[in-house]
Amino acid sequence: MKKLLLCFAIVPFLAQPLEAQDSEPENATPNSIVAASSAGEWVVIDPEDLLVMELAPDAQGNPRRVVIQLIPAPFSQPWVENMRTLARANWWDGTSVNRVQDNYVTQWGDVTEEKPLPEGVEAPVAPYEARTDCVATPEIGSETYTVNCFPISLRDIGDDALYTGNQNPGFSAGWPIVHRGAGRGANDVWPIHCYGYVGVGRNYAPDTGTGAELYTIIGQPQRHMDRNLAVVGRIIDGMEHLSSLPRGSGELGFYTEDEAHLRTPILSVRLASEMVDAPSFEYLSTESQSFAAYVAVRANRDDAFYTVPAGGVDICNVEVPIRRVGEAPEE
Amino acid sequence: MKKLLLCFAIVPFLAQPLEAQDSEPENATPNSIVAASSAGEWVVIDPEDLLVMELAPDAQGNPRRVVIQLIPAPFSQPWVENMRTLARANWWDGTSVNRVQDNYVTQWGDVTEEKPLPEGVEAPVAPYEARTDCVATPEIGSETYTVNCFPISLRDIGDDALYTGNQNPGFSAGWPIVHRGAGRGANDVWPIHCYGYVGVGRNYAPDTGTGAELYTIIGQPQRHMDRNLAVVGRIIDGMEHLSSLPRGSGELGFYTEDEAHLRTPILSVRLASEMVDAPSFEYLSTESQSFAAYVAVRANRDDAFYTVPAGGVDICNVEVPIRRVGEAPEE
């Protein structure tokens, strides 16, 4: 029998509903919980929030499509709007992937750095955190509570949630976020870098970048990136096309001139809302009962393979389940 | 100017000593601290603890060498000894990399699962944790203290260290480990999965595997793997040869029969102690002053690029500096 080293990062729609029906609660797995979720717990992603990037085919001629979900308000919207403008202007067409640094990032954009930007696309003077005037009233441990006017589910993460000290990770509208909790800076809330998440490249602070130069995390995310770089989205399909590229031998993983042939051409980047036959995706509501159960199981794996529960989970290891619309498992 | 998105995962010997000499403490970076460390703070790795794996050359004919450092006692030694036996028997020669699952693992071994193991190589009945009879006397916050007879540096990690709740991450003899701290199970200590760390593939519990089938983490490590799988080493050179391989389309990322051509042949695996011209590596002592400063800076980046310190660091993001002997920066 194959040494399986069972994996629970399988995309949700590969889960087996039978397993979900047969399993006792103590044997539930993240996949069985997702498979058992109800259709009403899923939220379709707005086509205005989907960017479809077509890379040049691989050496065998296979197409390489990458789908990026843009982060919703109130986070990073000046950069997100720049990205929509760049896509509508076909600006990324003919650019390339220019940097791949192992256990850090894959970065793409205009390698010449001379391509004129569309009118109106400028580096915004904007914060990496969101702030609101509404009063934060956190109740740690309760299923949900309101902070900065966002419903945040922390059920069963509690003290075992992994982020930096005295900061509370949670989920809002399908995205992992962090807030400072009650008291000190409770009305600060910010998005975080996880594997496959997309951010805006920039130069030295306070330059904040425009959104034309982007990167995605291809290793373990580093917390010092949060609040220092703009998180604008995440790869929800085709991540392997960016994570498996050859690493660059130049400083910071940039391809050297001798490696110019390794730069992956970007054929096009389009908003799904402007495409014919655009792909459609949905995510499991982070306010749903199934998501709360999913978090609890991720924090306390106890099944046929994993017999010593960790008692906690890094917020980035709670991958929000996302699937193509129409690809839910059969009832 | 290139959008740098400055990276601090650069291998230490790329750091610039001048930067270290010029920088004020508040401007120190992990690289500048490593560059300023003294030769006496580095520890040469025993050739008996190094496995050199030669993969088949890539499509352009470039050699692909991967160096694995084996974990020292008291962790996972029954598997580690099996690995030395397998290397001495040239057992891995002619095997291959058979599984690459994005954001999870790359796995290698005998795809036929019929290759006879050398005499004496059997799945050990052994714990994933280490236990000792000595008394734990932790003093959280102090620079170092003794628990389970290991010196563990926690200075400046403290409450900001990221692991699961009520468990304390630290470093012992160059490796990140976790213990339960004072009180409950204080004499339990275990190694953890980080990016590039190597573990033993197995079937369902309580099968513990032999060490012939191995995997390495190519994404964000998942805490539920700790204490459920044997951590036996880490990739210290050539990780990109395992992390940038094409992902398998089969279940769990195994290459399907149609993808048999994607399996990367393993030409040989040898113990450095049995090689002529074996590479030699050294690591920055995790009990050194420079390492303590390195941890503090990783937890509180505050420099020309990162201006909002995170106030914490995941233990796996504190990559223990490792370099080739003789490749220290010029004084």
Side-chain angles (χ1 to χ4, degrees), chain B residues 136-147 152-155 158 168 179 181-182:
Chain B
T137 58
E139 302 163 13
I140 301 293
S142 63
E143 177 178 347
T144 65
Y145 59 86
T146 299
V147 65
I152 298 178
S153 169
L154 283 180
R155 184 164 76 171
N168 305 317
H179 68 90

CSV table of all heavy atoms in Angstrom, one decimal, chain B residues 136-147 152-155 158 168 179 181-182:
chain,number,residue,atom,x,y,z
B,136,ALA,N,12.4,19.3,34.8
B,136,ALA,CA,12.3,20.6,34.0
B,136,ALA,C,12.2,21.8,34.9
B,136,ALA,O,11.5,21.7,35.9
B,136,ALA,CB,11.0,20.5,33.1
B,137,THR,N,13.0,22.8,34.7
B,137,THR,CA,13.0,24.0,35.5
B,137,THR,C,12.9,25.2,34.6
B,137,THR,O,13.9,26.0,34.5
B,137,THR,CB,14.2,24.0,36.4
B,137,THR,OG1,15.4,24.0,35.5
B,137,THR,CG2,14.3,22.9,37.3
B,138,PRO,N,11.8,25.4,33.9
B,138,PRO,CA,11.7,26.5,33.0
B,138,PRO,C,11.6,27.8,33.7
B,138,PRO,O,11.1,27.9,34.7
B,138,PRO,CB,10.5,26.2,32.2
B,138,PRO,CG,9.7,25.3,33.1
B,138,PRO,CD,10.6,24.5,33.9
B,139,GLU,N,12.2,28.8,33.1
B,139,GLU,CA,12.1,30.2,33.5
B,139,GLU,C,11.8,31.1,32.3
B,139,GLU,O,12.7,31.6,31.7
B,139,GLU,CB,13.3,30.7,34.2
B,139,GLU,CG,13.8,29.8,35.4
B,139,GLU,CD,15.2,30.0,35.8
B,139,GLU,OE1,15.8,31.0,35.3
B,139,GLU,OE2,15.8,29.2,36.5
B,140,ILE,N,10.5,31.1,31.9
B,140,ILE,CA,10.1,31.8,30.7
B,140,ILE,C,10.7,33.2,30.7
B,140,ILE,O,10.6,33.9,31.8
B,140,ILE,CB,8.6,31.9,30.6
B,140,ILE,CG1,8.0,30.5,30.6
B,140,ILE,CG2,8.2,32.7,29.4
B,140,ILE,CD1,8.3,29.7,29.3
B,141,GLY,N,11.2,33.6,29.6
B,141,GLY,CA,11.7,35.0,29.5
B,141,GLY,C,13.2,35.1,29.7
B,141,GLY,O,13.9,36.0,29.3
B,142,SER,N,13.8,34.1,30.5
B,142,SER,CA,15.2,34.2,30.7
B,142,SER,C,15.9,33.8,29.4
B,142,SER,O,15.3,33.2,28.5
B,142,SER,CB,15.6,33.2,31.8
B,142,SER,OG,15.3,31.9,31.4
B,143,GLU,N,17.1,34.2,29.3
B,143,GLU,CA,17.8,33.9,28.0
B,143,GLU,C,17.8,32.5,27.6
B,143,GLU,O,17.5,32.1,26.5
B,143,GLU,CB,19.3,34.4,28.1
B,143,GLU,CG,20.0,34.2,26.8
B,143,GLU,CD,21.4,34.7,26.9
B,143,GLU,OE1,21.7,35.5,27.8
B,143,GLU,OE2,22.3,34.3,26.0
B,144,THR,N,18.2,31.6,28.6
B,144,THR,CA,18.2,30.2,28.3
B,144,THR,C,17.8,29.5,29.6
B,144,THR,O,17.9,30.1,30.7
B,144,THR,CB,19.6,29.7,27.9
B,144,THR,OG1,20.4,29.8,29.0
B,144,THR,CG2,20.1,30.4,26.7
B,145,TYR,N,17.3,28.3,29.5
B,145,TYR,CA,17.0,27.6,30.7
B,145,TYR,C,17.0,26.1,30.3
B,145,TYR,O,17.0,25.7,29.1
B,145,TYR,CB,15.7,27.9,31.4
B,145,TYR,CG,14.5,27.8,30.5
B,145,TYR,CD1,13.9,26.5,30.4
B,145,TYR,CD2,14.0,28.8,29.8
B,145,TYR,CE1,12.7,26.4,29.6
B,145,TYR,CE2,12.9,28.7,29.0
B,145,TYR,CZ,12.2,27.4,28.9
B,145,TYR,OH,11.1,27.3,28.1
B,146,THR,N,17.0,25.2,31.3
B,146,THR,CA,17.1,23.8,31.0
B,146,THR,C,15.8,23.1,31.1
B,146,THR,O,15.1,23.4,32.1
B,146,THR,CB,18.1,23.2,32.0
B,146,THR,OG1,19.4,23.7,31.8
B,146,THR,CG2,18.2,21.7,31.7
B,147,VAL,N,15.4,22.4,30.1
B,147,VAL,CA,14.2,21.6,30.2
B,147,VAL,C,14.6,20.3,29.5
B,147,VAL,O,15.2,20.3,28.5
B,147,VAL,CB,13.0,22.3,29.6
B,147,VAL,CG1,13.2,22.4,28.1
B,147,VAL,CG2,11.8,21.5,29.9
B,152,ILE,N,17.6,25.5,26.0
B,152,ILE,CA,16.7,26.1,25.0
B,152,ILE,C,16.7,27.6,25.1
B,152,ILE,O,16.4,28.2,26.2
B,152,ILE,CB,15.2,25.5,25.3
B,152,ILE,CG1,15.2,24.0,25.1
B,152,ILE,CG2,14.3,26.2,24.3
B,152,ILE,CD1,13.9,23.4,25.4
B,153,SER,N,16.9,28.2,24.0
B,153,SER,CA,16.9,29.7,24.0
B,153,SER,C,15.5,30.2,23.6
B,153,SER,O,15.0,29.8,22.6
B,153,SER,CB,17.9,30.2,22.9
B,153,SER,OG,17.7,31.6,22.7
B,154,LEU,N,15.0,31.0,24.5
B,154,LEU,CA,13.7,31.6,24.2
B,154,LEU,C,13.8,33.1,24.3
B,154,LEU,O,12.8,33.8,24.2
B,154,LEU,CB,12.6,31.1,25.2
B,154,LEU,CG,12.1,29.7,25.0
B,154,LEU,CD1,11.1,29.4,26.0
B,154,LEU,CD2,11.5,29.6,23.6
B,155,ARG,N,15.0,33.6,24.4
B,155,ARG,CA,15.1,35.1,24.6
B,155,ARG,C,14.4,35.8,23.5
B,155,ARG,O,14.7,35.5,22.3
B,155,ARG,CB,16.5,35.5,24.7
B,155,ARG,CG,16.6,37.0,25.0
B,155,ARG,CD,18.0,37.4,25.6
B,155,ARG,NE,19.0,37.4,24.5
B,155,ARG,CZ,20.2,37.9,24.7
B,155,ARG,NH1,20.6,38.3,25.8
B,155,ARG,NH2,21.0,37.9,23.7
B,158,GLY,N,9.5,34.5,23.7
B,158,GLY,CA,8.5,34.7,24.8
B,158,GLY,C,7.1,34.5,24.3
B,158,GLY,O,6.9,33.5,23.6
B,168,ASN,N,5.6,25.6,24.4
B,168,ASN,CA,6.7,26.6,24.2
B,168,ASN,C,7.7,26.2,23.2
B,168,ASN,O,8.3,25.2,23.3
B,168,ASN,CB,7.4,26.7,25.6
B,168,ASN,CG,6.5,27.1,26.7
B,168,ASN,OD1,5.6,27.9,26.5
B,168,ASN,ND2,6.6,26.4,27.8
B,179,HIS,N,8.3,22.2,23.7
B,179,HIS,CA,8.0,21.5,24.9
B,179,HIS,C,6.8,22.1,25.6
B,179,HIS,O,6.4,23.2,25.3
B,179,HIS,CB,9.2,21.5,25.9
B,179,HIS,CG,9.5,22.9,26.5
B,179,HIS,ND1,8.9,23.3,27.6
B,179,HIS,CD2,10.2,23.9,26.0
B,179,HIS,CE1,9.3,24.5,27.9
B,179,HIS,NE2,10.1,24.9,26.9
B,181,GLY,N,6.4,23.0,28.6
B,181,GLY,CA,6.7,24.0,29.7
B,181,GLY,C,6.5,23.4,31.0
B,181,GLY,O,6.3,22.2,31.2
B,182,ALA,N,6.5,24.3,32.0
B,182,ALA,CA,6.3,23.8,33.4
B,182,ALA,C,5.0,23.1,33.6
B,182,ALA,O,4.0,23.4,32.8
B,182,ALA,CB,6.4,25.0,34.4
